[in-house]
């Protein structure tokens, strides 16, 4: 607790003979960190205290519900040292509370985002394992089928060669020359029989292996589906935490500078008036509103430009360019890293993954990122892996992900059109330079975006 101004307040109250009781003092200057409800309580008790000091508390009572003082409260408090001390303490606590709440909410959002990233990676790895096992099972089944076919061909050849008839001829032959020929034929048949047994054994082993691998693949798919549900739940939790953090930051931004200006006005011992501070606040808000409108206008123009590119149907390498299929290139520039296995690279405390689950588009810092197809935004949050991340569902079980953004300009639940600007490239998360990491999702996990986009006429 900051008690910098409490001695003056107490001295003034003792001079006027209206010092608060110990209970009132504990209410006015609590030692514990305030909760949101605690801030409201302090605001209401401050109004009671001001009434006790002979000042009108009507304005403060009107503002006790949201927990923030008005400029009228500040003006009235400046006229009384005890009231000023109480209001200074109250505002200081509110500033601390706003700052702490925003920091806690952002930390919780980051933690939830990281938990989602870990859960999704576990799901993707299990999906890859299931796919690999099924691929191995299919390969063994093919070996079994091929071996069985070869064994059948050898058996047919033996039958045509008449193995039993050759043995009978040898038994009845009284010619050494004829016997030699028959022995040679029987020797060849023995070799064929041995070869056939080998092929048959290979076919049986391959069938057993195929069945075992098929069973393992089914188990892996069941585990994949379980992990997918966990990842989906973690995504919901991460989004809820991100929304809560945004709300806390918005509240902080909406009130912090005003509270700081009110605090400065209360501490000011010069001839500066509350009206001067209030006017400065109005100027600041007007400037922020102008900046907001400028950002919206820039986003609108970018969306219009993307729509023009879409209409052209060039299918070229520029971001937002399409082919008439409903799909467009999500970012300009060149492909700096493809899909699949790669060597992990570490730089400045960050390491790239050993299996790359998307395409990296390198087009410089701050370049616009476009929705690859029309759809609904289902996620917009941050994690240490993806950085600033957006996910869009396009229907039919297909979704796309956009990672490492410097800034995101769409919200969850928003419908976006193909080629619409949804954010700007950056270097957030596990990134070694400004780029867009682009992923395509199906029910089986991630797939290679390059052939997926090319099949839809998009140049990558």
């Amino acid at each position: 607790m900051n008690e910098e101004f409490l001695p003056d307040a107490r001295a003034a109250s003792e001079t006027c003979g209206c010092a608060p009781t110990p209970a009132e003092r504990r209410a006015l200057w609590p030692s514990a960190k305030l909760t949101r409800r605690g801030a409201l309580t302090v605001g209401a008790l401050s109004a009671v205290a001001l009434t006790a000091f002979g000042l009108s508390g009507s304005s403060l009572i009107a503002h006790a519900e949201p927990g923030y003082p008005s400029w009228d409260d500040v003006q009235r408090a400046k006229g009384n040292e005890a009231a000023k001390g109480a209001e200074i303490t109250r505002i200081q606590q509110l500033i601390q509370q706003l700052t702490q709440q925003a920091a806690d909410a952002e930390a919780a959002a980051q933690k939830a985002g990281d938990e989602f990233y870990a859960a999704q990676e576990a799901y993707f790895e299990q999906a890859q394992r299931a796919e690999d096992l099924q691929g191995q099972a299919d390969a063994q089944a093919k070996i079994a089928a091929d071996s069985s076919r070869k064994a059948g061909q050898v058996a047919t050849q033996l039958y045509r060669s008449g193995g039993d008839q050759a043995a009978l001829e040898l038994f009845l032959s009284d010619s050494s020359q004829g016997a030699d020929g028959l022995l040679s034929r029987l020797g060849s048949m023995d070799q064929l029989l041995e070869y056939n047994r080998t092929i048959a054994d290979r076919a049986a082993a391959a069938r057993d292996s195929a069945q075992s691998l098929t069973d393992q693949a089914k188990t892996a798919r069941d585990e994949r589906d379980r992990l997918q549900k966990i990842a989906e739940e973690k995504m919901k939790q991460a989004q809820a935490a991100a929304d809560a953090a945004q709300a806390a930051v918005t509240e902080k931004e909406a009130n912090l500078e005003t509270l700081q200006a009110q605090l400065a006005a209360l501490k000011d011992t010069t001839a500066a008036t509350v009206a001067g501070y209030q006017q400065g606040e109005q100027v600041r808000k007007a400037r922020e509103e102008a900046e907001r409108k400028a950002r919206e206008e820039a986003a609108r123009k970018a969306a219009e430009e993307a729509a023009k590119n879409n209409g052209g149907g060039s299918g070229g390498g520029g971001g937002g360019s399409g082919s008439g299929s409903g799909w467009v290139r999500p970012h300009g520039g060149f492909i700096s890293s493809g899909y699949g296995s790669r060597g992990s690279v570490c730089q400045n405390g960050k390491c790239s993954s050993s299996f790359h689950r998307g395409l990296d588009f390198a087009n410089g810092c701050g370049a616009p990122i476009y929705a690859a197809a029309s759809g609904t935004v289902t996620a917009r949050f941050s994690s240490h892996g993806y950085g600033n991340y957006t996910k869009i569902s396009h229907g039919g079980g297909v979704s796309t992900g956009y990672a490492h953004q410097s800034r995101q300009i769409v919200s969850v639940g928003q419908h976006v059109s193909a080629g619409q600007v949804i954010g700007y490239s950056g270097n957030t998360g596990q990134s070694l330079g400004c780029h867009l990491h682009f992923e395509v999702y199906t029910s089986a996990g991630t797939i290679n975006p390059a052939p997926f986009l090319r099949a839809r006429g998009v140049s990558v």
Side-chain angles (χ1 to χ4, degrees), residues 113-306:
D114 291 345
E115 289 177 355
F116 157 74
Y117 181 78
Q120 179 151 284
E121 283 296 298
Y123 156 54
F124 288 158
E125 288 173 4
Q126 189 63 26
Q128 187 66 49
R129 172 175 165 75
E131 185 177 341
D132 291 345
L133 284 169
Q134 189 59 58
Q136 293 172 34
D138 293 343
Q140 288 298 313
K142 186 176 184 304
I143 291 173
D146 290 345
S147 298
S148 295
R149 186 180 68 257
K150 288 179 181 177
Q153 291 172 344
V154 172
T156 300
Q157 181 62 36
L158 283 170
Y159 176 77
R160 289 174 179 173
S161 299
D164 291 340
Q165 181 64 31
L168 179 61
E169 290 176 3
L170 177 63
F171 180 77
L172 297 176
S173 175
D174 56 0
S175 167
S176 60
Q177 184 176 1
D180 289 344
L182 289 171
L183 285 171
S184 176
R185 286 174 60 195
L186 286 173
S188 298
M189 289 176 189
D190 284 343
Q191 291 177 358
L192 282 172
L193 286 169
E194 182 62 30
Y195 176 67
N196 205 35
R197 278 193 293 270
T198 301
I199 293 176
D201 290 344
R202 184 186 303 169
R207 278 196 299 270
D208 292 342
S209 179
Q211 185 59 55
S212 175
L213 287 166
T214 297
D215 294 342
Q216 292 178 53
K218 183 182 182 306
T219 300
R221 283 194 296 271
D222 291 342
E223 178 65 6
R224 175 202 67 192
D225 295 342
R226 185 186 75 84
L227 291 173
Q228 181 182 25
K229 291 178 181 178
I230 292 175
E232 289 172 350
E233 184 59 31
K234 290 292 185 182
M235 187 180 81
K236 293 176 183 177
Q237 294 172 5
Q239 190 57 57
D243 292 343
Q246 184 58 52
V249 171
T250 298
E251 182 177 5
K252 172 186 171 183
E253 291 175 347
N255 296 285
L256 186 59
E257 290 196 34
T258 297
L259 287 169
Q260 290 171 334
Q262 290 173 336
L263 185 62
L266 284 168
K267 291 181 177 181
D268 197 343
T269 59
T270 68
T273 64
V274 169
Y277 284 98
Q278 192 171 6
Q279 183 179 5
E281 279 294 286
Q282 292 172 348
V283 170
R284 177 187 64 80
K285 289 181 179 179
R287 183 181 68 250
E288 289 179 350
E289 179 65 15
E291 291 173 350
R292 182 187 66 79
K293 289 182 178 179
R295 288 195 298 270
E296 290 179 351
E297 179 63 16
R300 184 188 65 80
K301 288 182 178 179
E304 288 180 353
E305 185 64 25

Side-chain angles (χ1 to χ4, degrees), residues 53 83 97 142 187 203:
F53 294 149
Q97 173 194 339
K142 186 176 184 304

